[in-house]
Amino acid sequence: MLQGQTAEAVLVAHRDRLRPIDRMIPEADALPEPSDGEELLEVSGAQGLLTHTRVDPDALEAVLGPLDRWELTPRVAGPDEMAALLTHWRQHMESHPDRPSADSMAAVEWPSRDVAMTRVLRAFGFVPEFVMIGRLKDTELVPESGRVHVRRATVDDSEAVCELQMVETRFDAAVSGAVERATTEALLREEITASFKRDDPLIWVAEYEGAIVGMHRGEDFSEPQQAWLATKITAAPVAHLVCQAVKEGYRSLGIGTSLAHHVHADLDAMGVGAAVGYHAMFNPISTPFWHRHGWRPYWNRWMRTPAV
């Protein structure tokens, strides 16, 4: 069991190791005391806060993967200590009274540029299912197509936005661990409708030959959202962008590029320090597209399904 100065030493080693790897990632805080549904796992040179949740299958969050979720927030001195912590975590789940079900996942987020951890995580059966990418303010814009008209969406566009959101959701489910459930479409429609009731929602649409064929959507700014994003990237404020979609049959016409150009220009003009978002690591469209627009990886979300 780690105590006092030992736990502090682990945090110092964790920070010292990651600081030169990616200076855009904030220094980690000490792990908090466990609350309901949380446990502190400890081995020599490492700590991890384990959070266990069972997601309501009728909740929107259920689209993100298995319903029985075991998520670890680690503080480790290095790869050997990470391996010891992952071993302890697996043994802990195997002997747990609520042993993970078949519909379960183990997940851990780790800085993308720390490639020394890749071999360790893979050895324990983890796959980098999702990646958080980001673009800093005033990154050079990619020229847009003159044939596409991009504008901020209005409430009259809500049906088109919902349809395009489902295009992206179904594509994501095809290339990742995301799951379209019976309630997903209704819940996304409810979320988008609520966004349009707020002032100036972060939603853009792209028109091509008079029809809406693409959209880009971001989360509304809030204090809890900004507090969470402050643990992911040092820039501020941060826009969390959740979806860009183009209808099948209209791809490779410059619609996505025009959308990204306008979204980036608008966010830069608003003084937003960075934009971030997640995409499936194995999405064959997202990776080349967003990297070409000046985005780069910050965090990999490693997952193992089932959890044990």
Side-chain angles (χ1 to χ4, degrees), residues 37-38 45 50 65 92 108 125 140 144 147 167 174 187 201 210 212 224 242 249 270 292:
E38 297 179 340
L50 176 61
H92 179 80
V108 57
E140 185 176 357
E144 63 175 321
R147 298 180 296 168
V167 168
L187 290 170
I212 294 175
V242 296
M270 292 164 60
R292 186 165 64 89

Side-chain angles (χ1 to χ4, degrees), residues 76-97:
V76 301
D80 291 343
E81 291 79 8
M82 176 70 93
L85 182 62
L86 294 179
T87 298
H88 180 42
W89 180 19
R90 183 173 58 194
Q91 294 169 343
H92 179 80
M93 289 189 291
E94 288 173 343
S95 62
H96 200 281

